[in-house]
Amino acid sequence: MSNREKSPHILNASSNLLGICFILLASLKVMKIAEKTFIDEVTTMAIILFMCSCILSFISIRTNNSRSHFYENMADIIFMMGLSLLFITTLLYSFNVIK
């Protein structure tokens, strides 16, 4: 799969998850739960990772030189880090490790 095929998918998925993380963080702040849990810090880290993934995948799409593949790979790795972070947090919250 070339960067013209993979980068748009990374951009789409990471921007969707970025929006969901923003909604989650805003909800935690509005409900005043952020001070009681660790989830708002994790969500902030996920926001940073997904934003970096969005930026790198967009640069990969817009770049036509040899660096395009590098940007795409970095976007892919950072996206997987953000996704793994959310997955681990969900597991810990589900098993009542995080309250």
Side-chain angles (χ1 to χ4, degrees):
M1 200 181 267
S2 71
N3 70 327
R4 298 287 180 204
E5 297 172 12
K6 192 161 102 173
S7 288
H9 296 291
I10 296 170
L11 180 60
N12 185 26
S14 60
S15 63
N16 285 334
L17 287 171
L18 179 66
I20 290 170
C21 287
F22 272 125
I23 290 171
L24 176 64
L25 187 62
S27 299
L28 289 171
K29 298 287 183 182
V30 167
M31 295 181 345
K32 296 185 181 9
I33 300 175
E35 296 85 23
K36 300 175 188 173
T37 66
F38 181 65
I39 295 175
D40 61 322
E41 286 88 1
V42 174
T43 304
T44 303
M45 289 187 287
I47 286 172
I48 292 168
L49 289 172
F50 289 132
M51 182 58 81
C52 290
S53 179
C54 285
I55 291 169
L56 288 170
S57 61
F58 180 77
I59 291 171
S60 173
I61 292 169
R62 301 292 293 171
T63 305
N64 290 324
N65 57 21
S66 61
R67 304 282 296 167
S68 178
H69 188 67
F70 172 75
Y71 293 136
E72 179 183 57
N73 285 339
M74 289 305 297
D76 199 17
I77 290 168
I78 292 171
F79 174 76
M80 285 305 298
M81 289 170 54
L83 197 59
S84 299
L85 182 66
L86 290 180
F87 177 69
I88 291 168
T89 305
T90 302
L91 283 177
L92 292 174
Y93 185 74
S94 296
F95 293 118
N96 292 324
V97 175
I98 299 175
K99 296 184 182 202

